[in-house]
Amino acid sequence: MKTLEELRQIYDLPLPELMFRAAEVQRANHRDRGIQRCALLSIKTGGCPEDCGYCAQSAHHATAVKPTPLMDVAEVRAKAEQAKNAGATRFCLGAAWRGPRNEEQFERVLDMVRAIRALDMEACVTLGMLSDEQAQRLHEAGLTAYNHNLDTSRRHYPKIVSTHTYDDRLRTLRAVQRAGIAVCSGGIIGMGEEVDDRLMLLSELSALDPPPESVPINCLMPIPGTPLEHSPPVDSIELVRLIATARIVFPQARVRLSAGRERMSQELQILCFLAGADSIFFGEKLLTAPNPSVSEDAALFQRLGLPICDETHT
Ligand code: SAM
Ligand code: DTB
Ligand code: SF4
């Protein structure tokens, strides 16, 4: 586990030294790994009973999101096939739930996981809080990873969410790990936190055993109607420093440059890749919010001179 003090020492290095060390870690561990493209699909949108202050899908906030019921397996399979043909190696499903409650719907999600795995893609889902039994069943269905973000520091979390606690989040992560599923967990920056809160988040994640298989770094997308709608954008160099720090602390993980790319220049995204980010969400929509278009991302990869995808490591 890394302490806040140790993380500050990394984060506060002169930027050229920080970038160099992050690149060294990336090269030593993943010389030819490339940048993974993950497709994201909201299988059940909106109407969520939780009150996360950043979220377009919370029933507590008056946002433009129209709630929709859980999708069919056939529709999800078709989207996954499309994503695979477009170069995605991982397919991620999100449901606006506090946690799975309805047995028929949970079984449908298990079928979706099987359908994605049958396409030889990595499968990741984010369904809220899980019991040990639910985690075990997801494992048996072949799930590659479970996404459940700690989102921010323990001390900042109650300012963002009141309907569940930081310990609830950690409990789910432990259930996922007990079931033998890899953890995808990271956070959002730009929610009024300090740099120390971001480093405390990395510290919490570094205490997980094993460490997360992937660490999504989201920049807040301010959603009209949410309490955080007027949050100012994150400083670009602070984002780059955080990514480099995450790369150094989690040498084996995919560090995913997640929400917020739509507002970033390609130059900033390229700096994030140089700092060790090696995964993105691609496709024109995240769960409800916009993402760069497929053609913009094709141009981005071309500018990088990088292969558009890596091998599937399932
Ligand atoms: N209900 C589940 C949960 O909370 O774990 C899964 C869905 S939730 C939308 C998944 C993650 O998306 C959140 O933990 C958060 O990190 C990210 N997210 C949601 N809204 C966001 C926003 N407006 N800007 C950036 N990231 C966001
Ligand atoms: C993650 O860390 N970011 C993704 C995925 N995991 C599920 C979600 C981003 C959501 C952005 C806001 C929206 O689309 O509503
Ligand atoms: Fe619900 Fe997840 Fe959004 Fe929170 S982040 S309101 S739990 S969908």
Side-chain angles (χ1 to χ4, degrees), residues 261-282:
R261 288 197 302 117
E262 205 236 354
R263 295 206 296 191
M264 293 174 202
S265 68
Q266 291 201 334
E267 287 78 3
L268 172 55
Q269 295 179 59
I270 288 170
L271 264 185
C272 292
F273 298 135
L274 296 178
D278 63 355
S279 175
I280 56 168
F281 287 118
F282 91 118

Side-chain angles (χ1 to χ4, degrees), residues 10 202 215 217 241-251 253 255 275:
I10 302 172
L202 295 187
V215 179
I217 306 288
R241 281 186 176 275
L242 191 71
I243 287 178
T245 307
R247 166 49 61 216
I248 292 166
V249 175
F250 301 108
V255 175

Side-chain angles (χ1 to χ4, degrees), residues 54 95 97 126 128 149 151 169 188 218-221 223 259 287:
Y54 49 80
W97 285 334
T126 178
N149 293 338
D151 279 322
R169 298 300 276 182
I188 310 182
N218 296 277
C219 290
L220 176 74
M221 307 199 66
I223 310 283
L287 293 173

Side-chain angles (χ1 to χ4, degrees), residues 75-188:
E75 237 179 309
V76 173
R77 183 185 295 112
K79 296 269 189 199
E81 275 168 2
Q82 257 175 29
K84 182 175 175 171
N85 292 335
T89 56
R90 183 169 172 121
F91 202 67
C92 310
L93 307 178
W97 285 334
R98 175 176 165 85
R101 274 204 234 160
N102 173 300
E103 176 59 22
E104 185 275 323
Q105 295 195 348
F106 185 61
E107 280 174 21
R108 211 189 302 171
V109 174
L110 296 177
D111 284 340
M112 294 174 189
V113 170
R114 290 185 198 103
I116 296 165
R117 298 296 285 142
L119 293 171
D120 215 16
M121 299 175 89
E122 297 178 8
C124 181
V125 298
T126 178
L127 313 172
M129 290 185 236
L130 290 188
S131 66
D132 277 303
E133 194 225 331
Q134 289 167 332
Q136 192 55 46
R137 290 170 71 195
L138 284 164
H139 176 62
E140 282 157 17
L143 189 72
T144 312
Y146 192 78
N147 169 246
H148 199 66
N149 293 338
L150 287 179
D151 279 322
T152 188
S153 66
R154 178 182 282 278
R155 69 177 189 187
H156 195 61
Y157 201 69
K159 295 185 193 147
I160 306 296
V161 186
S162 77
T163 48
H164 56 257
T165 64
Y166 211 67
D167 283 319
D168 288 330
R169 298 300 276 182
L170 284 165
R171 253 191 293 280
T172 292
L173 290 178
R174 282 193 281 268
V176 167
Q177 294 200 310
R178 273 194 295 272
I181 303 172
V183 160
C184 167
S185 189
I188 310 182

Side-chain angles (χ1 to χ4, degrees), residues 227-247:
L228 294 175
E229 69 174 309
H230 298 300
S231 307
V234 172
D235 176 83
S236 300
I237 300 304
E238 289 185 4
L239 168 65
V240 171
R241 281 186 176 275
L242 191 71
I243 287 178
T245 307
R247 166 49 61 216

